[in-house]
Amino acid sequence: MKNCLITLNQSPPFLHFLPVFPIASFLFSPMKTPRNPPSFLVFFSISLLFSLTFLLGIALLTFLHSHHYHPPCSVFPPSSPLDDVEAPRLSRSAMVPLPAHGDTGANISEVEREFWRQPDGDGYRPCLEFGIGYRRASARISKERRRFLVVVAAGGLNQQRNQIADAVVIARILEAALVVPILQVNLIWGDESEFSDIFDAEHFKRTLQADIRVVSTIPSTHLFGRQSIRSKIPKDITPQWIHARFFNQLSRDGLLVLKGLDSKLTKNLPSDLQKLKCKVAFHALRFAAPIHELGNQLAKRMWIEGPYIALHLRLEKDVWVRTGCLTGLGPEYDDVITKVRESQPEFLTGTLNMSYAQRRLAGLCPLNALEMARLLKALGAPRTTRIYNAGGEPFGGSKALQPLIAEFPNLVTKEMLARDGELSPFANKSSALAAIDYIVSLSSDVFVPSHGGNMGRALQGHRAYVGHRKYIKPNKRAMLPFFEDASVSDAEFSTIMRELHSKSQGQPELRNFRIDRDVIAYPVPECMCKHHISFF
């Protein structure tokens, strides 16, 4: 049955054809009755009317059957438990941003107006309509009480979000109940937060109750039985591989523990499983109430002053170590990074045989504060713009941010926005602080990441899902040569930057089954389609 929320109630298709038939005019147009008609004419007319009505009825039934016409949703109530009745609940469960400001007034230049203009979403809206086979299986899988899956999610906040989404998909593939995921202690930040400290666990369970069964703890009947722990999982595993490798084992033992899931599940899943990932990422993983409330308060404090930019500046010490890049702060700071990198070469994630200059021109280095300032200025960001810095503590402290503050003095952080004591409950809890940054960034009019990463990809997909909010992805490989060319004037530089980024503003971008594109970052077309009625 069609989803009533996102299908327009249209007239039956045959009504559009009736006016072209004489019979239609006869049946549907008012006609004056002749005075004192002959009895034989009355009998003949009635007989003809009944005959024509009968024939027309047969024709219409044949037409409807051949065209699979569905009556308007408001006419017939759902008659099957398989009908999609989740849409009203899903439309309320998504984490949505504050509205974009739109036109910012008459006292700005056309370039500035263009900077704030939101991209054309081309009519795409969320559509999580699962197939009939998926929904039939849900009645059984969502009540599973014999097989249980435990997943340990590692890394930072957005790495954990990705692994939790994959865990739900794997539980579905294995037809297992999922124990609320365990968040591994973050060795870099020392964060010992549990799932319920970061996410709303009850909301997580409720949102997924039609897809899988989620339980808070392992049942006592499974605690002392045989347990299988798997941490060495190959990359790009498929549903077929998962089922063949673990299903019989899980059915025998009743409990399976998976670790090290980061980026192991294939990006090219069947359509229903892609929709399930979107359902987890954009609906089920709502932040815990204290985080959600403070994040919204800080977002409102930014929003009330007018349109704002959120930057995800990757200037932390570990980022410079891992990327093999120079900080731009001078030899004193670069020497510190080099020594750490040499003592811990396993941290380097880039290609070993590339020099810093090669890495930078290949787009593998984060933009530093000076480069970000030049880019924003060239794209038309007004100097008075309020900018929210969603990055962590930069290596080099205030010196690292000085070039950006010189061009855009209204740079703020959550520490500056928060009032006395508001951030105290989240001290030394990096995941909670990252979640607050996520919420404020989601509501920004423009979001710009300085260097890819999990948060950048998560916000790219989330901003697309809630209406294609502006997301400028710096084209580092194409633009950096112009940063080095002193012969290019400021006006030419601005024109070049706007042209280079004209098609990377957050417009709908199809995933197109590319092996490196996750549906959470590219929700079109599996999780979004063109509707006349908004999902939200």
Side-chain angles (χ1 to χ4, degrees), residues 178-180 201-202 205 214-218:
L178 177 68
V179 180
V180 169
E202 293 306 313
K205 295 177 188 177
V214 181
V215 298
S216 298
T217 58
I218 302 171

Side-chain angles (χ1 to χ4, degrees), residues 5-6 119-129 275 283 464-468 508 523-536:
L5 271 188
I6 53 180
D120 181 5
D122 200 24
Y124 281 102
R125 297 289 186 273
C127 54
L128 300 183
E129 299 177 67
K275 295 179 192 302
H283 294 271
Y465 192 76
V466 296
H468 287 94
V524 179
E526 285 95 345
C527 301
M528 301 185 75
C529 47
K530 294 189 178 183
H531 292 314
H532 296 290
I533 297 179
S534 177
F535 186 87
F536 298 113

Side-chain angles (χ1 to χ4, degrees), residues 460-511:
Q460 175 184 339
H462 203 151
R463 289 174 72 88
Y465 192 76
V466 296
H468 287 94
R469 294 288 282 265
K470 194 160 194 172
Y471 177 101
I472 299 175
K473 186 188 299 183
N475 188 343
K476 291 183 285 187
R477 187 176 297 181
M479 75 186 196
L480 285 176
F482 296 100
F483 278 62
E484 309 295 330
D485 191 346
S487 66
V488 178
S489 68
D490 288 346
E492 290 175 316
F493 183 77
S494 179
T495 300
I496 292 169
M497 291 301 108
R498 293 201 304 274
E499 288 178 353
L500 284 177
H501 295 90
S502 62
K503 294 184 179 179
S504 56
Q505 307 265 322
Q507 303 97 324
E509 191 172 355
L510 301 184
R511 198 181 68 84

